[in-house]
Amino acid sequence: MKQAVRMSLVLFLLAMPFCMSAQTRTIVKEDIYTRGLEYYNAGNYAEAIKWFTEAAEKGDYAAQFALGICYEKGQGVDVNYEQAVLWYEKAAEKGVAPAQTNLGFCYENGQGVAQDFTQAAYWYLKAAEQGNAVAQNNIGSCYYNGQGITQDYTQAAKWYKLAADQGNVQAIANLGLCYYHGQGITQDYEQAVHWYQIAAKSGNAQAQYNLGICYKNGHGIAQNYEEAVRWFRKAAGQGDADAQASLGVCYYNGEGVAKDVATARYWWQKAAKQGSQAAKKNLADCH
């Protein structure tokens, strides 16, 4: 089964104050942030930056978060990760959950700041405790991988479930993984399939591959090679190396699809280019 769990970044602006009541937000004269937001939504990023900057410098946390996004995405300004971190941090310190999430992402990836997994986990947890679904998935992954925090599958499953209940697709896929392996939760193949199906139908490649494995092995669902091939193909089409390697095996063995060595080699070659050791071995053995 695929073990990868992925982190996510929050990139959006909100028209209303978030995470706090309107009374706690610093309101500047004529609500300068709102003017900036109007320009931003109209696609006039250069003008939006002017208003966001003015509001942010006066302490408006929504504008500070907005500036972080603009510097992150290069909207109205050149991409500048250091500036993005500076403004995310200002908003994060005021309790803005999306800013805390993005700051955690920057620390995790060394983007605009020295890589620091402990700081990444710290900020993800702050945002997760406020109910931010992306942060809940991300702190779940920190616990799952023992990255920046002591490995704890029970905590990982807990946070994945909270994020999954909010519809976070990556968390749904990750929760399925926990059920499949019995990590932090009682092993239950049927529950794994349930969560994989939801994420797979939403286009998550990891879940599509894992659902294909369940169909191929008859874990939690009736064995069905044709369905396994269908889901492997969906994930492989998105560039998932494990799915590409598995699809190659199906073609080589004629499982769920007509035997076709040439097509098997095609998929193994694609997977091998991404570093799949299984695909490389299959290609070597196929000579």
Side-chain angles (χ1 to χ4, degrees), residues 101-130:
T101 303
N102 287 4
L103 185 58
F105 185 91
C106 292
Y107 271 112
E108 184 204 352
N109 293 282
Q111 186 171 287
V113 67
Q115 189 175 55
D116 188 327
F117 294 138
T118 301
Q119 279 292 301
Y122 171 82
W123 287 111
Y124 286 149
L125 185 58
K126 285 279 191 183
E129 289 173 341
Q130 294 194 65

Side-chain angles (χ1 to χ4, degrees), residues 65-217:
F65 174 58
L67 269 184
I69 289 176
C70 290
Y71 279 110
E72 177 91 30
K73 299 175 73 175
Q75 295 175 319
V77 290
D78 292 334
V79 171
N80 188 322
Y81 295 134
E82 289 78 10
Q83 280 294 306
V85 167
L86 183 152
W87 291 110
Y88 284 152
E89 188 169 33
K90 287 181 182 294
E93 289 174 346
K94 293 176 180 175
V96 179
Q100 293 170 338
T101 303
N102 287 4
L103 185 58
F105 185 91
C106 292
Y107 271 112
E108 184 204 352
N109 293 282
Q111 186 171 287
V113 67
Q115 189 175 55
D116 188 327
F117 294 138
T118 301
Q119 279 292 301
Y122 171 82
W123 287 111
Y124 286 149
L125 185 58
K126 285 279 191 183
E129 289 173 341
Q130 294 194 65
N132 184 281
V134 172
Q136 289 172 340
N137 173 70
N138 291 359
I139 192 61
S141 295
C142 291
Y143 275 115
Y144 187 94
N145 295 315
Q147 182 173 289
I149 202 165
T150 302
Q151 188 174 55
D152 187 328
Y153 290 133
T154 300
Q155 284 292 312
K158 165 195 161 182
W159 287 111
Y160 287 152
K161 181 62 165 60
L162 288 170
D165 285 344
Q166 294 194 64
N168 184 282
V169 175
Q170 188 57 55
I172 291 169
N174 292 341
L175 183 60
L177 190 69
C178 290
Y179 271 113
Y180 189 90
H181 292 288
Q183 294 170 316
I185 202 165
T186 302
Q187 187 176 50
D188 188 328
Y189 288 147
E190 291 183 0
Q191 277 293 303
V193 168
H194 167 74
W195 293 105
Y196 286 155
Q197 286 176 328
I198 295 172
K201 290 174 182 177
S202 294
N204 183 278
Q206 173 187 323
Q208 291 170 343
Y209 166 72
N210 286 346
L211 183 57
I213 290 292
C214 290
Y215 271 115
K216 185 172 184 180
N217 296 326

Side-chain angles (χ1 to χ4, degrees), residues 268 271-285:
W268 286 338
K273 287 180 181 179
Q274 295 192 67
S276 170
Q277 295 303 310
K280 290 177 181 179
K281 183 178 186 303
N282 289 341
L283 282 170
D285 293 343

Side-chain angles (χ1 to χ4, degrees), residues 7 10 20 23-25 29 39 53 67 78 89 116 134-135 150 159 171 186 208-209 213 231 242 244 251 265 270 285:
M7 303 298 183
V10 180
M20 305 178 187
Q23 288 74 22
T24 63
R25 177 170 167 238
K29 186 177 180 180
Y39 281 113
T53 300
L67 269 184
D78 292 334
E89 188 169 33
D116 188 327
V134 172
T150 302
W159 287 111
T186 302
Q208 291 170 343
Y209 166 72
I213 290 292
W231 288 107
D242 292 326
Q244 291 169 345
Y251 272 107
R265 288 180 58 81
K270 290 182 77 69
D285 293 343

